[in-house]
């Protein structure tokens, strides 16, 4: 049986060699690219329709090549390396090797088949970061509290799904951008934690906020994550401070009206009481 398999493997090798000699070399993977969001790491490439298979291997900083166990002899054109590229803060290169579609091949070495290497990729420095969720709480007329929820990453430590804070630790900061409602002038602050107090706001004004993850240790092109949706302080968050001039005039008018009614009723009651006493004292005995 072993001799029969060896003959089959030899036949495949000879067939591949002849094919190569005829100029029909096995096609290489093209347009190899990294796609990574929140530490979900995928390498993808472009292939032409064929019966060929592809095996993905990865290497880091002159280490030996390691085959991705999930991407051996695959027919599709992408490979998920999320759980394999560790540690994160290291540059990795992948190699996509083209192989003939041979059922009895079973991954044994049939020679140096053509392959394509990727550019280096460092997950810690280059993965894109999604927009964060956050809440805005009004503290008083000049302060608000911005509370940000650390995003979940695609990576796990055992059964635990890691957050960006678990991976980036103190490198993870947040940029908070805010402006007065209806005004285009913006201010930015950087928070070291997921909770930040924004102070010195103008009393009686609504403010709008956006946040984004910020990693200053990265290169400038990848320092900032995606901006969140905008959130504004509620319109009734500080009713007394937010009353307009017209509203103040209305409040004063109502108060004066009520006060006038009280004075008028009091005056009429007193007058009626005096008239009653006068009529009783003037009656004959």
């Amino acid at each position: 049986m072993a001799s029969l398999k060896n003959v089959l493997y030899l036949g495949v090798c000879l067939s591949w060699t002849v094919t190569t000699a005829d100029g029909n070399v096995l096609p290489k993977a093209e347009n190899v690219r990294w796609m990574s969001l929140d530490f979900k790491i995928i390498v993808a490439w472009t292939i032409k329709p064929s019966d060929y298979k592809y095996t993905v291997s990865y290497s880091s900083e002159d280490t030996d090549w390691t085959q991705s166990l999930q991407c051996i002899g695959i027919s599709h054109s992408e490979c998920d390396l999320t759980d394999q590229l560790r540690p994160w803060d290291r540059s990795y290169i992948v190699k996509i090797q083209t192989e003939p579609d041979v059922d009895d091949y079973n991954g044994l070495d049939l020679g140096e088949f053509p392959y394509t290497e990727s550019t280096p990729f460092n997950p810690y420095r280059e993965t894109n970061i999604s927009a964060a969720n956050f809440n805005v709480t009004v503290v008083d007329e000049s302060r608000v509290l911005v509370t940000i929820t650390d995003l979940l990453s695609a990576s796990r430590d055992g059964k635990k799904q890691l957050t960006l804070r678990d991976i980036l630790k103190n490198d993870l900061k947040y940029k908070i951008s805010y402006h007065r409602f209806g005004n285009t002038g913006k201010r930015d602050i950087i928070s070291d934690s997921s909770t930040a107090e924004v102070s010195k706001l103008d009393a009686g004004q609504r403010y709008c906020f956006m946040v984004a993850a910020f990693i200053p240790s990265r290169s400038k092109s990848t320092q900032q994550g995606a901006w969140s949706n905008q959130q504004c302080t509620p319109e009734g968050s500080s009713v007394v401070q937010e009353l307009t001039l017209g509203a103040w005039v209305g409040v004063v008018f109502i108060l004066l009206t009520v006060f006038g009614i009280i004075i008028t009723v009091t005056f009429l009651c007193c007058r009626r009481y005096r008239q009653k006493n006068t009529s009783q004292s003037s009656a004959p005995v």
Side-chain angles (χ1 to χ4, degrees), residues 156-168:
R156 291 182 175 274
D157 184 4
K159 294 183 178 180
K160 179 186 176 183
Q161 188 170 2
L162 301 176
T163 67
L164 293 186
R165 179 72 63 187
D166 292 329
I167 297 174
L168 297 170

Side-chain angles (χ1 to χ4, degrees), residues 35 52 61 103 121 129 152 164-165 189 194 220-221 225:
M35 300 184 296
Y52 297 121
E61 299 177 1
D103 293 337
F121 177 76
I129 306 297
L152 288 173
L164 293 186
R165 179 72 63 187
I189 63 171
S194 303
K220 191 171 183 179
S221 61

Side-chain angles (χ1 to χ4, degrees), residues 190-237:
I190 302 296
S191 173
D192 292 334
S193 69
S194 303
T195 302
E197 184 179 273
V198 183
S199 58
K200 297 182 181 179
L201 303 177
D202 296 334
Q205 299 294 326
R206 293 183 66 193
Y207 280 83
C208 297
F209 298 82
M210 294 193 303
V211 303
F214 186 72
I215 309 165
S217 62
R218 288 183 169 193
S219 63
K220 191 171 183 179
S221 61
T222 60
Q223 278 183 335
Q224 185 175 304
W227 282 110
S228 67
N229 291 328
Q230 179 176 274
Q231 289 192 40
C232 301
T233 53
E235 192 168 355
S237 59

Side-chain angles (χ1 to χ4, degrees), residues 75-93:
S75 56
H76 50 277
S77 57
E78 68 175 39
C79 178
D80 190 338
L81 297 170
T82 300
D83 297 325
Q84 299 170 67
L85 303 190
R86 303 285 179 89
W88 292 289
D89 195 5
R90 184 174 290 183
S91 292
Y92 294 89
I93 295 176

Side-chain angles (χ1 to χ4, degrees), residues 45-80:
W45 59 94
T46 301
I47 56 175
K48 296 178 180 179
S50 69
D51 293 329
Y52 297 121
K53 303 295 184 180
Y54 299 88
T55 291
V56 177
S57 304
Y58 58 90
S59 176
S60 171
E61 299 177 1
D62 298 326
T63 61
D64 293 335
W65 290 100
T66 302
Q67 284 188 341
S68 171
L69 297 180
Q70 292 81 17
C71 302
I72 297 176
I74 60 175
S75 56
H76 50 277
S77 57
E78 68 175 39
C79 178
D80 190 338

Side-chain angles (χ1 to χ4, degrees), residues 146 174-178 187-191 196-199:
V146 178
Y174 287 100
K175 179 180 288 188
I176 302 172
S177 179
Y178 64 98
R187 306 175 197 172
D188 292 337
I189 63 171
I190 302 296
S191 173
E197 184 179 273
V198 183
S199 58

Side-chain angles (χ1 to χ4, degrees), residues 5-17 20 26 67 97-114:
K5 283 192 173 182
N6 290 334
V7 171
L8 289 174
Y9 298 153
L10 179 60
V12 172
C13 289
L14 292 174
S15 175
W16 178 70
T17 304
T20 303
L26 295 178
Q67 284 188 341
Q97 189 167 39
T98 309
E99 300 167 352
D101 183 16
V102 180
D103 293 337
D104 292 328
Y105 171 47
N106 292 328
L108 297 177
D109 184 14
L110 297 182
E112 187 64 22
F113 293 118

